[in-house]
Amino acid sequence: MDQDSHCTAERELLEAVSRITTFSTTSPADEEQNQPKAEISCQVRKENSEKDDLQDSNASLSPNSSMTTKELQEYWKNEKRQCRQVKLLFEIPSTRIVEHRLSKYVMYKIIILQTGSFDSNKSVIERRYSDFEKLHRNLLEEFSEEMEDVTFPKKTLTGNFTEEIINERKLAFKDYLRLLYSMKYIRRSKKFIDFLTRLELQEAYGCLRGGHYTKALEILLEVIGLQERLTRGNPVSIVPTLCAIVVCHKDLENPASAFEYGEKALSRLRVHTSHRYYIPLLETMITLAYELGRDFLSLQEKLEEWKAKKDPIRVFTLKELAVREYVQ
């Protein structure tokens, strides 16, 4: 290929990448046409943030980029991969009645599926009516306009445990979750994500604090997949969970697995070196790398570089940080 052809190919790739990057900041046309009125009402309020996202994305590549053609092709592939929005489906196939000495309630089994995937990508959680009610109340505080047309199944004075009422609520809660997820700013909100993950994380961290690392790890590994699908736009938010998995693997004497999840956490903190988990994670990774015979000098250099720039402050260990999460 002559020089002119080579330059033309690079220009075409740059233009294509720019189009892909721009597309990643907007919703597909069919999604805009089918979105509920509740989501439309929030667009004006979020207009400025959308513009900022667009500018940031377009700024990621400049016409003077020094990337080679091969690097541009790889970048293009990664951008297209990011553009594929993960879509989740919510099913409520069954319920169970829980009876305690002073209380009785229905637990709804919620299966969360990723579209176009196999059973390995599903998550299963249980929530009761009061959990849904709390979510609805919290969302109304922040998204009153968006929630204007969202209906919530009301409580009844009698018959709450009849098969008819339970089946009606199963369908109602399924539609409720589907509608909430269809609204971009709600599905990205901390309150919605907490509803789907917080109870399990509280249980996992309780097990971790009690030294039950095997049980804690089992729950954390279940939650992390759902967290990743829910927080694709904010990868740093799952760093605490990844670090808790590192702590569990390390205490269970699985250094290779601990190092694997530590690398995932570090990759999310590459440009967030002021994050409270960054230094404790680096210190843990240095120890693990030395134990495994991996390259620990590059990690040590990053640690020394950070210490040279920052004033000496007390830093918790990774385990000390983990046990402080979700303390009531």
Side-chain angles (χ1 to χ4, degrees):
M1 181 183 292
D2 57 31
Q3 185 173 0
D4 290 342
S5 300
H6 183 76
C7 291
T8 301
E10 286 196 359
R11 256 194 322 271
E12 290 176 350
L13 278 170
L14 277 168
E15 291 172 359
V17 169
S18 179
R19 288 196 298 272
I20 289 294
T21 305
T22 302
F23 173 74
S24 69
T25 63
T26 59
S27 300
D30 59 341
E31 183 177 339
E32 290 292 337
Q33 291 172 0
N34 295 324
Q35 67 184 13
K37 288 188 292 183
E39 182 175 358
I40 296 173
S41 66
C42 70
Q43 289 180 347
V44 174
R45 183 159 64 87
K46 306 293 184 179
E47 186 177 6
N48 290 335
S49 63
E50 290 288 346
K51 289 179 180 177
D52 291 341
D53 290 344
L54 182 60
Q55 290 169 355
D56 291 343
S57 297
N58 288 334
S60 63
L61 273 183
S62 69
N64 299 320
S65 173
S66 60
M67 286 183 173
T68 65
T69 301
K70 185 176 181 181
E71 289 172 335
L72 282 167
Q73 289 172 335
E74 188 61 32
Y75 183 89
W76 189 8
K77 288 179 184 177
N78 290 335
E79 284 297 309
K80 286 198 295 184
R81 202 174 295 126
Q82 290 296 322
C83 288
R84 295 173 191 149
Q85 179 192 344
V86 173
K87 292 187 181 295
L88 301 181
L89 299 175
F90 298 88
E91 298 290 341
I92 304 181
S94 61
T95 61
R96 63 187 179 94
I97 297 176
V98 178
E99 291 191 64
H100 296 300
R101 190 165 64 90
L102 298 175
S103 64
K104 180 180 179 181
Y105 52 87
V106 179
M107 293 294 288
Y108 296 85
K109 180 179 181 180
I110 306 169
I111 298 179
I112 306 160
L113 297 160
Q114 181 175 323
T115 56
S117 66
F118 297 101
D119 286 348
S120 59
N121 286 324
K122 75 179 181 183
S123 299
V124 182
I125 60 176
E126 283 190 316
R127 296 293 182 267
R128 54 190 290 189
Y129 182 96
S130 60
D131 295 322
F132 281 97
E133 193 175 39
K134 181 180 178 182
L135 169 66
H136 190 70
R137 192 165 56 248
N138 289 340
L139 290 177
L140 283 173
E141 292 175 359
E142 186 175 351
F143 302 100
S144 57
E145 291 182 25
E146 293 85 343
M147 298 286 290
E148 195 172 40
D149 298 327
V150 179
T151 58
F152 187 81
K154 301 295 183 183
K155 276 186 177 179
T156 58
L157 295 176
T158 59
N160 286 306
F161 301 101
T162 63
E163 185 176 352
E164 181 182 0
I165 293 295
I166 290 174
N167 286 334
E168 284 179 5
R169 285 185 177 170
K170 278 169 54 178
L171 294 174
F173 284 141
K174 173 185 171 180
D175 290 340
Y176 178 74
L177 290 173
R178 178 193 59 79
L179 182 56
L180 293 182
Y181 184 76
S182 73
M183 293 184 275
K184 179 169 61 178
Y185 298 108
I186 288 182
R187 71 170 173 260
R188 291 178 179 177
S189 70
K190 185 178 185 301
K191 291 175 180 178
F192 182 69
I193 294 170
D194 277 354
F195 169 78
L196 296 171
T197 60
R198 187 177 181 85
L199 292 180
E200 286 70 26
L201 287 172
Q202 285 177 330
E203 181 183 0
Y205 280 99
C207 291
L208 193 156
R209 282 189 289 274
H212 306 298
Y213 301 114
T214 301
K215 180 62 177 177
L217 183 59
E218 178 185 334
I219 301 170
L220 290 168
L221 291 175
E222 284 285 330
V223 175
I224 191 66
L226 178 58
Q227 275 189 308
E228 286 177 328
R229 296 195 290 276
L230 289 167
T231 62
R232 285 173 70 89
N234 183 20
V236 176
S237 63
I238 67 169
V239 165
T241 306
L242 288 170
C243 289
I245 292 174
V246 172
V247 169
C248 289
H249 274 306
K250 189 171 184 295
D251 278 53
L252 290 169
E253 299 183 356
N254 299 325
S257 296
F259 192 83
E260 176 189 347
Y261 280 93
E263 285 187 315
K264 291 180 180 179
L266 268 183
S267 70
R268 287 160 170 80
L269 295 178
R270 191 175 294 120
V271 294
H272 300 278
T273 56
S274 60
H275 195 282
R276 71 187 190 282
Y277 271 89
Y278 181 69
I279 293 305
L281 178 59
L282 261 184
E283 292 174 339
T284 300
M285 290 295 285
I286 291 168
T287 301
L288 289 169
Y290 184 80
E291 183 179 347
L292 293 166
R294 307 275 185 93
D295 172 29
F296 65 90
L297 292 178
S298 59
L299 296 170
Q300 187 70 47
E301 287 174 6
K302 290 179 182 177
L303 181 62
E304 296 302 326
E305 180 184 342
W306 187 92
K307 288 182 176 179
K309 291 179 180 178
K310 304 286 183 179
D311 293 330
I313 55 173
R314 182 177 187 275
V315 177
F316 292 111
T317 66
L318 196 67
K319 188 172 183 178
E320 287 173 337
L321 275 180
V323 298
R324 282 168 168 76
E325 295 284 347
Y326 292 93
V327 175
Q328 298 298 321

